[in-house]
């Protein structure tokens, strides 16, 4: 299998696809591309008519199968290795985890726009809108419910590391970058995610990258 991902410092969706591939336990080749660079344009031309994602990442290639979109990649891998590797075994917990992942996949646009992922930076006094604040409150409420109802078996949202943690990992990164104040339970959860071996691999690689997206680095006026 080959997984095409973007810049590790900024690409939240690439992080989700990459964590899903790691969680699967399957071997895969990682191809990192600069989607705004000439190399990516050349790669797309080489692929010819196979343009399933319209140039977006991540993309998983597995023989004749081409899967784009992080959630589709996670579900495809779940079909290959067994869904219990990604989702809680308990029916009720699994239902909530699926709903949380779906909400993360489709919602929180103000948060995404105003607090883009930037693993390397730490920003103080970042101003956000009421809509983005509402996103943060909603996310923290979901984390609290998952932890209180289903988190007794470990430090993650549903105890063991699962699809929900994969999809909220970039939110953890955003909260750390922008210094979002969170209650103690959320601090403990964020620390568990941040210190996970796979997250540390991603973070270290992001810190070693040498290209910059200027629009994500501009200070507020």
């Amino acid at each position: 299998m080959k997984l095409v991902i973007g810049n590790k410092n900024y690409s939240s969706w690439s992080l989700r696809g990459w964590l899903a591939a790691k969680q699967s336990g399957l071997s895969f080749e990682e191809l990192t591309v600069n989607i705004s660079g000439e190399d990516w344009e050349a790669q797309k031309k080489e692929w010819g008519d196979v343009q399933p994602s319209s140039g977006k990442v991540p993309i998983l290639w597995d023989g004749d199968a081409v899967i784009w979109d992080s959630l589709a990649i996670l579900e495809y891998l779940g079909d290959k290795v067994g869904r219990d590797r990604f989702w809680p075994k308990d029916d009720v917990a699994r239902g909530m985890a699926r709903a949380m992942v779906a909400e993360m996949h489709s919602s929180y646009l103000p948060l995404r726009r105003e607090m883009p992922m930037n693993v390397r930076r730490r920003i103080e006094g970042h101003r956000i809108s009421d809509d983005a604040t509402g996103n943060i409150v909603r996310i923290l409420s979901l984390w609290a419910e998952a932890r209180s109802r289903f988190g007794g078996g470990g430090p993650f949202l549903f105890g063991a590391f699962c699809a929900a943690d994969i999809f909220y990992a970039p939110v953890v990164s955003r909260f750390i970058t922008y210094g979002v104040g969170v209650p103690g339970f959320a601090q403990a959860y964020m620390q568990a995610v941040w210190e996970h071996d796979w997250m540390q691999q991603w973070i270290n690689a992001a810190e070693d990258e040498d290209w910059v997206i200027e629009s994500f680095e501009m200070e507020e006026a």
Side-chain angles (χ1 to χ4, degrees), residues 9-10 118 120-121 212-219:
N9 191 54
Y10 308 106
N118 191 325
R120 293 190 294 258
R121 291 196 69 186
V212 171
I213 299 177
E214 293 293 343
S215 60
F216 288 174
E217 299 291 339
M218 294 178 64
E219 297 286 351

Side-chain angles (χ1 to χ4, degrees), residues 40-142:
W40 180 233
E41 291 301 321
Q43 180 66 72
K44 288 192 294 183
K45 289 180 181 178
E46 182 178 325
W47 288 341
D49 294 334
V50 182
Q51 295 287 337
S53 71
S54 299
K56 297 179 181 179
V57 290
I59 306 170
L60 182 70
W61 294 75
D62 183 22
D64 292 333
V66 184
I67 305 93
W68 64 101
D69 183 280
S70 298
L71 183 52
I73 289 171
L74 185 147
E75 294 286 21
Y76 175 82
L77 293 170
D79 288 340
K80 289 180 72 71
V81 301
R83 292 181 176 274
D84 285 352
R85 185 179 287 267
F86 288 96
W87 300 102
K89 294 182 180 180
D90 176 78
D91 288 346
V92 177
R94 186 168 62 252
M96 182 176 181
R98 287 188 182 281
M100 287 180 64
V101 167
E103 184 167 327
M104 181 69 254
H105 189 260
S106 63
S107 305
Y108 309 132
L109 185 58
L111 175 67
R112 292 172 178 165
R113 284 177 172 169
E114 299 174 34
M115 300 169 64
M117 193 172 87
N118 191 325
V119 174
R120 293 190 294 258
R121 291 196 69 186
R122 298 294 179 268
I123 302 171
E124 296 182 1
H126 185 71
R127 296 189 298 273
I128 61 173
S129 68
D130 290 343
D131 288 340
T133 300
N135 289 168
I136 292 170
V137 171
R138 172 62 177 169
I139 289 168
L140 291 174
S141 70
L142 290 175

